[in-house]
Amino acid sequence: MHRYTARFVECHRQYSVCHMSSAAGKRRALRSAFPVLDLPFWPIHKHIYEANLRNSNACLKKYTEFRKKVREGGGESSIARHTQRNRKLLVRDRLRLLLDDEDFLELSPFAGLGLPYGDIPSAGCLTGIGRISGLWCVFLANDATVKGGTAYPITVKKQLRAQEIAIQNRLPCVYLVDSGGAFLPLQSEIFPDKNHGGRTFYYEAMMSAMKIPQVAVVCGSCTAGGAYIPTMAEETVMVHQIGTIFLGGPPLVKAATGEEVTPEMLGGARLHAEVSGCVDHFAWEEKEGFDYTRNIISTLNFQLPEEEEEAKKREAEEEPLHSSEELLGLAPKSYNYSLDVKMVVSRLVDGSRFLEFKARYGTSLVTGFAKIHGHLVGILANNGELSYEAALKGSHFVQLCDQRDVPLLFLQNTAPGAALTPSTKRAEMNSNRLKAQGSMMSAVASASVPKITVVIGGCHGADSYAMCGRAFDPNFLFLWPNAKVSVTAPGHVSSLLPIDGEQDEEQKKQEEKLNRRLAEESSAFFSSGRMWDDGVILPQNTRKVLRDALDIIKQQQYQLSTEKRRSAFLRM
Ligand code: COA
């Protein structure tokens, strides 16, 4: 356990024994089952709180800049071409017409920013999860203001991740197609490999086989490979004079046969609705196309709980004792600025109620049960290095939750450097730790319950794998803007470099260079630009994001599956 954490844990222990705050006192009568974690800030936290807050405000500034960049899409002239010359709606306006409300969990909004081939706002394709007729659906919507909606390598990655989320959580999928196909100058990074463009169609086929409904709306160009998206979806809507579907466009026809054809004649909505049969619904304009889509979704075989029932449940939920804004002072500027992670937990969970598991063992990992907007979850939160005892406890808790079908929430803030072995005693400890961490990784990987990871601080080394990092396939993985993602944190490279006697000037320079590079490459924005996560979320919005994610994960229970119907027949 690091120095600060140890001090504060002790401080809270004494506090809970000797003093009861008025808030806890008042709430004792309401206590149902789980004990309340009433952990306010103390004067001793002041300098850490303030340093974290300053850092959070700087991160917020960057977050706001990135959001602005994304909202501007391909820029003024592209927007004018899209809306005035091509007479199409902007992608966010399309979503507004489709969705029930503003509640839209946008996925990886910063993907595509700061890449070697430039800034590609929204990676040219907006993805996210929103509701139609009360049903959460995944949306993949090309933004044609960004280079005609063409697919860059990052676009393909973003589309595939959205489809994977649809598959893992069994969510209906809606494609808003408006794309010029592959971005040709980067074709070698889009076309040939397993997780390149072709995978989109493979996933479409798999989703159909798994009875995950897919609807496509052709509201723009749909050329070459893109033409298979609407053709492979179960139901397709196409908008007159805006949508076109063809493998090769009019210039290609002219080059090959000398014939002059219009896009409408070659692959317009009339042709595909009346002659080829590639689409199922002809819409005169975009608004009508989205009305069709909403109607199609309302025919899917889901039985959602009654609205009144849901409203009653929500009313019964308690807010955390302390404001979520305080999370800004808890988001660690660096590892040494981490406070007791229970302070974070208490600001995220219903009524700050937390039933801790093995509270006195392996205390550098906090484990226990809580509710988030009524959803029961098992929480694992780093509170120092993932020691031998902590990793054993982690495995135990993960298996327990798996047995009870309780979703897991990982709050990740892992140690910045690799464990050193300066003595035999330490070597033995590290070997034991290795075995226990390996067991925890196995437990996490093989647990069949849904998993959500939020990186609230560091995401480094093997500790991050055991805490359900990206490679361990969590249903969702979000980052706080202060998060650092790298094999080892900046300033800790020496633990990884070979020790070669006295350090000479050249070695020192190398180390400095590596540290500078790590500092740049470990930022949450660098990570999110490359889609190593599902998006940067603000600490104060985390509770709401978790609520949406848990609601979304739960929805599959309401799909009336063929298995159920078959067993009903058997009973007859
Ligand atoms: N690869 C690379 N760049 C492309 C592209 C492609 N496949 N398709 C379009 N672009 C670029 C254009 O060069 C233009 O760039 P600029 O803004 O820097 O000038 C930008 O995207 C917008 O294209 P533009 O033709 O000006 O816009 P539009 O709205 O009139 O038409 C399309 C958009 C997509 C219908 C049209 O560009 C088109 O048909 N593209 C070719 C599609 C194709 O054959 N794809 C095959 C891929 S395998």
Side-chain angles (χ1 to χ4, degrees):
M1 192 184 302
H2 52 75
R3 199 158 47 88
Y4 290 105
T5 310
R7 243 168 62 203
F8 298 132
V9 165
E10 181 54 19
C11 166
H12 290 308
R13 197 190 62 77
Q14 284 175 10
Y15 158 75
S16 58
V17 173
C18 308
H19 318 271
M20 285 301 287
S21 83
S22 55
K26 264 187 243 148
R27 267 160 237 264
R28 201 182 295 138
L30 294 175
R31 194 177 287 173
S32 54
F34 299 174
V36 172
L37 273 183
D38 184 9
L39 302 176
F41 283 97
W42 289 88
I44 195 173
H45 300 140
K46 191 167 178 267
H47 80 280
I48 293 194
Y49 178 85
E50 284 173 357
N52 285 341
L53 193 61
R54 273 195 300 279
N55 183 58
S56 286
N57 285 335
C59 290
L60 182 65
K61 212 168 142 212
K62 187 144 191 199
Y63 178 92
T64 314
E65 264 169 42
F66 270 48
R67 258 177 82 94
K68 187 165 174 277
K69 217 181 236 187
V70 165
R71 297 280 160 147
E72 284 165 358
E76 255 174 55
S77 60
S78 292
I79 291 177
R81 183 176 56 210
H82 184 87
T83 53
Q84 290 159 25
R85 198 194 71 187
N86 297 347
R87 302 207 180 153
K88 293 189 284 189
L89 294 175
L90 292 171
V91 66
R92 286 179 195 276
D93 294 331
R94 287 174 170 167
L95 285 171
R96 237 167 253 131
L97 286 174
L98 260 178
L99 294 169
D100 290 350
D101 48 39
E102 298 276 310
D103 203 357
F104 181 66
L105 179 63
E106 191 170 341
L107 297 165
S108 300
F110 302 153
L113 296 183
L115 297 185
Y117 45 83
D119 278 338
I120 319 297
S122 297
C125 178
L126 225 89
T127 63
I129 309 172
R131 270 174 303 211
I132 293 183
S133 305
L135 199 66
W136 291 103
C137 305
V138 169
F139 293 85
L140 290 91
N142 299 118
D143 182 351
T145 70
V146 182
K147 283 276 181 209
T150 51
Y152 287 74
I154 194 71
T155 320
V156 174
K157 195 169 178 187
K158 194 170 177 188
Q159 289 178 175
L160 293 181
R161 174 64 190 151
Q163 287 180 308
E164 280 162 14
I165 286 177
I167 292 170
Q168 202 175 11
N169 301 291
R170 297 193 59 86
L171 297 168
C173 209
V174 178
Y175 304 88
L176 303 185
V177 197
D178 187 357
S179 163
F183 181 74
L184 290 170
L186 294 175
Q187 68 81 28
S188 69
E189 294 170 54
I190 304 162
F191 174 67
D193 209 350
K194 179 178 162 184
N195 283 325
H196 284 177
R199 193 80 182 169
T200 316
F201 314 118
Y202 175 79
Y203 278 161
E204 263 195 273
M206 296 313 289
M207 282 156 82
S208 289
M210 291 171 71
K211 298 179 175 46
I212 296 173
Q214 296 170 93
V215 181
V217 188
V218 183
C219 44
S221 173
C222 193
T223 312
Y228 293 97
I229 289 183
T231 356
M232 290 179 73
E234 281 94 39
E235 261 186 274
T236 295
V237 181
M238 192 163 175
V239 184
H240 182 51
Q241 283 185 334
I242 289 175
T244 50
I245 305 178
F246 33 65
L247 291 174
L252 209 72
V253 175
K254 184 155 171 47
T257 67
E259 263 182 283
E260 298 230 7
V261 280
T262 64
E264 195 60 23
M265 281 160 66
L266 190 65
R270 269 217 166 107
L271 178 114
H272 284 301
E274 295 168 8
V275 183
S276 78
C278 277
V279 305
D280 313 297
H281 307 276
F282 172 94
W284 287 103
E285 38 113 28
E286 287 202 59
K287 163 90 177 54
E288 190 187 353
F290 300 133
D291 289 344
Y292 272 127
T293 312
R294 288 184 55 83
N295 284 336
I296 293 168
I297 296 293
S298 70
T299 66
L300 302 181
N301 210 1
F302 279 76
Q303 209 164 52
L304 299 176
E306 293 296 326
E307 269 171 38
E308 299 94 79
E309 206 182 298
E310 285 294 283
K312 251 192 228 156
K313 257 201 253 159
R314 293 268 182 257
E315 264 171 39
E317 292 157 14
E318 285 178 88
E319 282 302 304
L321 283 191
H322 302 283
S323 163
S324 57
E325 293 292 325
E326 291 180 359
L327 290 168
L328 294 168
L330 285 168
K333 171 183 152 169
S334 69
Y335 191 67
N336 284 345
Y337 285 76
S338 310
L339 292 175
D340 183 359
V341 78
K342 283 190 221 165
M343 293 177 82
V344 174
V345 172
S346 75
R347 281 154 183 82
L348 289 178
V349 303
D350 293 0
S352 299
R353 293 176 187 280
F354 185 60
L355 183 66
E356 196 167 356
F357 172 76
K358 270 187 154 70
R360 288 162 178 268
Y361 183 80
T363 50
S364 58
L365 182 74
V366 170
T367 54
F369 295 97
K371 287 189 177 174
I372 295 180
H373 286 282
H375 294 279
L376 181 66
V377 287
I379 298 178
L380 294 96
N382 292 118
N383 212 19
E385 284 183 19
L386 194 62
S387 63
Y388 165 76
E389 293 84 0
L392 277 188
K393 166 168 144 180
S395 306
H396 185 169
F397 187 66
V398 166
Q399 286 166 345
L400 195 96
C401 290
D402 194 31
Q403 191 200 48
R404 297 178 191 177
D405 272 340
V406 178
L408 293 166
L409 170 63
F410 295 84
L411 299 177
Q412 191 181 118
N413 179 22
T414 53
L420 297 174
T421 45
S423 63
T424 338
K425 172 100 184 91
R426 186 73 210 188
E428 194 185 323
M429 276 169 70
N430 284 348
S431 316
N432 286 335
R433 196 167 98 141
L434 194 71
K435 283 186 277 181
Q437 284 194 353
S439 299
M440 184 168 165
M441 282 187 216
S442 298
V444 172
S446 47
S448 56
V449 286
K451 297 156 209 154
I452 302 172
T453 303
V454 183
V455 182
I456 61 170
C459 169
H460 308 293
D463 291 19
S464 75
Y465 303 144
M467 286 298 288
C468 203
R470 188 64 148 179
F472 279 65
D473 232 0
N475 297 51
F476 294 100
L477 185 146
F478 300 106
L479 302 180
W480 280 1
N482 55 297
K484 304 258 185 317
V485 184
S486 56
V487 65
T488 186
H492 290 78
V493 285
S494 53
S495 63
L496 293 184
L497 292 175
I499 303 161
D500 192 14
E502 280 287 292
Q503 250 202 343
D504 61 19
E505 273 308 300
E506 192 47 39
Q507 260 180 315
K508 271 193 198 144
K509 265 194 212 154
Q510 286 278 340
E511 202 177 304
E512 273 167 27
K513 201 170 145 199
L514 205 50
N515 271 323
R516 267 201 307 278
R517 191 164 167 189
L518 270 178
E520 187 196 323
E521 292 182 354
S522 62
S523 99
F525 298 97
F526 187 93
S527 163
S528 226
R530 282 148 185 80
M531 285 223 42
W532 299 337
D533 52 74
D534 295 317
V536 176
I537 58 168
L538 296 177
Q540 63 272 41
N541 294 344
T542 307
R543 189 169 143 78
K544 155 132 193 351
V545 171
L546 290 175
R547 180 195 76 186
D548 284 353
L550 289 161
D551 280 350
I552 287 164
I553 287 169
K554 193 172 181 188
Q555 178 174 280
Q556 55 192 294
Q557 293 178 7
Y558 307 125
Q559 186 173 14
L560 304 178
S561 69
T562 43
E563 278 78 15
K564 265 189 205 154
R565 266 182 266 140
R566 231 181 263 135
S567 55
F569 280 129
L570 285 176
R571 277 200 300 275
M572 275 163 69

